Amino acid sequence: MEAAEIAARVEQFVREMVVPYERDSRCGAHGPSEELVAELRDKARAAGLLTPHIGAEGRHLSHRDTALVLRAAGLSPLGPVALNVAAPDEGNMYLLGRVATAEQKVRFLDPLVAGRARSAFFMTEPAADGGAGSDPSMMQTRARPDGNHWVIDGCKAFITGAQGASVGIVMAKTGEGATIFLVDLPDPAVRIERVLDTIDSSMPGGHSVVAIEGLRVPADQILGEVDKGFDYAQIRLAPARLTHCMRWLGAATRAHEIACDYAVKRHAFGKPLIDHEGVGFQLADNRIALQQALLMIDWCAGVLDSGAPGIAESSMAKVAVSDLLFGVADRCVQVMGGTGVSGDTIVEQVFREIRAFRIYDGPTEVHKWSLAKRIKRETLARLTLA
Ligand SMILES: Cc1cc2nc3c(=O)[nH]c(=O)nc-3n(C[C@H](O)[C@H](O)[C@H](O)COP(=O)(O)OP(=O)(O)OC[C@H]3O[C@@H](n4cnc5c(N)ncnc54)[C@H](O)[C@@H]3O)c2cc1C
């Protein structure tokens, strides 16, 4: 099936089958319940649309084709979870597909692709302890060798989906570098201390603070090589940033549709809201921003499809798209007045979700800072040549 056809079927599935669940009482502050996730995935499986971006023999669609499918999935905040293209599983599946051994794939990747398991990526640590956040080199979680095992101790924070995950991808310092370990969950040595109350609510299991105490991991559960963890995290990071952009583009598009419907139907001062220039301009700005976001994603996806790492490009795309889509969501709220901030539509949720997106997978300022360093290097090189 062509990607455009998959995307069309995904869009129809999300609009007809997933959207009605948006008011389901099992959509909680810490994401949809496990029961709801399983129910939605059964429907996606029956429709032949589960994990639609990964085909036979684990082959992924190209990044540009993935953009079509994930935008369609994102049209509902529940769509990515229903179709098994949500964060962090989607990025984790990508990483395991690229780096894991054949045995590791059977054990850790296959259940994820089948949509029967969820995973969590353990990198960030509590700010109060001075751990890794914007700066991963501050990582305090340590792994030490012990016979043919490694023993991990530390504390992690904001771990999406840790509650309920059965596959853990844990990053720990090993000497000067960091190493990634694949872990079966739950494990008594991995204790969820609390699920944080955060602004967003679309990701199953929410975001947890997790204590890791004496976690024993066999050496054959190391992902790739010892001390190469930060390199592998980069493999995951550039595409994962972009897939967030793709999904949130879908969500912002839907919020815009809802705001347009409101502005056409709702009257004030003798005419539909959309006929007031102040409202019409906001919707026009939305249309422009959505198109800019789409083009930025398409450009960056093309760079990744060429085989380039796309580190700077995905930074630029993430900063630009998260800002553009936040503007769209904000204007949707404004156009809809009180309804915009109420739970009567998903516009309010889309606004909250996209606010958080400016922080995870690298805060906007960190991306700009690293771009500025690159600009300085390039400028100095040009000046030296001149
Ligand atoms: C909803 C959500 C889900 C998440 N899921 C996961 C997950 O599954 N796994 C995981 O490991 N982590 C996860 N995170 C953590 C996320 O990656 C971190 O929040 C992020 O890296 C920032 O780290 P921090 O929160 O410690 O902020 P800090 O490092 O304390 O930074 C705070 C602010 O300082 C500013 N800043 C930092 N450095 C610079 C700089 N060089 N120049 C200018 N300004 C700067 C930025 O504005 C930044 O927002 C998640 C976070 C959120 C909010």
Side-chain angles (χ1 to χ4, degrees):
M1 219 190 313
E2 291 284 313
E5 192 188 338
I6 302 174
R9 287 186 56 201
V10 164
E11 175 160 351
Q12 188 182 8
F13 176 79
V14 170
R15 289 193 189 275
E16 290 176 7
M17 308 291 280
V18 178
V19 164
Y21 279 91
E22 287 170 355
R23 290 171 176 278
D24 194 291
S25 59
R26 291 169 293 175
C27 295
H30 296 153
S33 72
E34 301 298 343
E35 184 190 270
L36 178 54
V37 173
E39 195 171 315
L40 287 165
R41 287 188 180 177
D42 282 346
K43 288 189 188 294
R45 198 175 282 114
L49 289 173
L50 194 75
T51 330
H53 64 303
I54 302 181
E57 290 155 24
R59 253 196 310 277
H60 284 238
L61 292 179
S62 70
H63 294 280
R64 292 184 80 188
D65 285 347
T66 300
L68 296 177
V69 175
L70 266 60
R71 177 194 164 277
L75 288 165
S76 167
L78 286 172
V81 161
L83 290 147
N84 197 26
V85 297
D89 290 326
E90 179 271 325
N92 292 342
M93 287 188 271
Y94 184 85
L95 174 65
L96 294 177
R98 292 282 300 271
V99 186
T101 63
E103 291 75 29
Q104 289 173 340
K105 282 182 187 168
V106 169
R107 185 161 157 203
F108 297 104
L109 176 59
D110 289 356
L112 292 177
V113 175
R116 305 276 182 206
R118 287 200 299 95
S119 58
F121 191 82
F122 295 69
M123 179 143 119
T124 305
E125 298 171 340
D129 302 346
S134 300
D135 181 357
S137 74
M138 290 163 67
M139 189 165 292
Q140 295 185 347
T141 300
R142 301 253 157 216
R144 59 181 165 81
D146 182 21
N148 60 353
H149 280 67
W150 288 71
V151 180
I152 308 177
D153 288 284
C155 192
K156 298 287 183 181
F158 291 103
I159 308 307
T160 304
Q163 179 90 276
S166 48
V167 175
I169 302 179
V170 179
M171 201 170 218
K173 264 294 191 55
T174 39
E176 283 312 296
T179 301
I180 295 181
F181 298 86
L182 303 178
V183 175
D184 288 308
L185 296 175
D187 186 301
V190 181
R191 188 166 35 82
I192 308 243
E193 291 199 326
R194 62 195 176 105
V195 182
L196 295 158
D197 291 325
T198 52
I199 196 170
D200 63 316
S201 55
S202 68
M203 302 185 193
H207 316 285
S208 294
V209 177
V210 183
I212 303 177
E213 286 160 355
L215 173 64
R216 290 183 68 79
V217 186
D220 63 3
Q221 287 176 218
I222 287 176
L223 183 69
E225 292 174 37
V226 173
D227 283 345
K228 293 266 179 71
F230 289 133
D231 297 343
Y232 302 137
Q234 284 297 331
I235 292 177
R236 179 188 186 280
L237 214 54
R241 280 176 201 143
L242 200 62
T243 51
H244 275 306
C245 295
M246 298 167 187
R247 289 181 291 260
W248 294 134
L249 173 61
T253 301
R254 172 98 181 291
H256 174 66
E257 289 171 6
I258 295 169
C260 289
D261 291 356
Y262 186 90
V264 167
K265 289 184 194 155
R266 174 77 165 152
H267 285 63
F269 304 100
K271 55 186 180 181
L273 286 176
I274 196 165
D275 291 339
H276 291 278
E277 192 176 81
V279 172
F281 274 21
Q282 292 194 68
L283 295 172
D285 283 342
N286 277 0
R287 179 66 75 81
I288 294 164
L290 289 168
Q291 188 63 25
Q292 286 174 313
L294 187 136
L295 291 173
M296 198 87 187
I297 292 168
D298 187 60
W299 162 72
C300 183
V303 170
L304 294 176
D305 281 336
S306 76
I311 303 297
E313 290 86 352
S314 67
S315 274
M316 286 191 262
K318 200 262 182 185
V319 169
V321 172
S322 60
D323 266 354
L324 286 163
L325 299 184
F326 183 70
V328 171
D330 185 45
R331 284 187 292 272
C332 290
V333 168
Q334 195 66 18
V335 163
M336 293 177 63
T339 307
V341 293
S342 78
D344 281 6
T345 77
I346 57 144
V347 167
E348 167 269 347
Q349 182 184 359
V350 172
F351 174 81
R352 291 187 282 108
E353 301 282 347
I354 293 177
R355 183 64 189 85
F357 178 36
R358 283 164 55 198
I359 291 172
Y360 53 77
D361 279 7
T364 295
E365 296 72 26
V366 176
H367 288 296
K368 288 187 179 175
W369 173 70
S370 60
L371 281 169
K373 285 198 295 186
R374 181 179 284 249
I375 293 166
K376 182 181 173 191
R377 270 200 314 276
E378 291 167 355
T379 307
L380 287 173
R382 186 164 46 75
L383 290 174
T384 317
L385 281 179

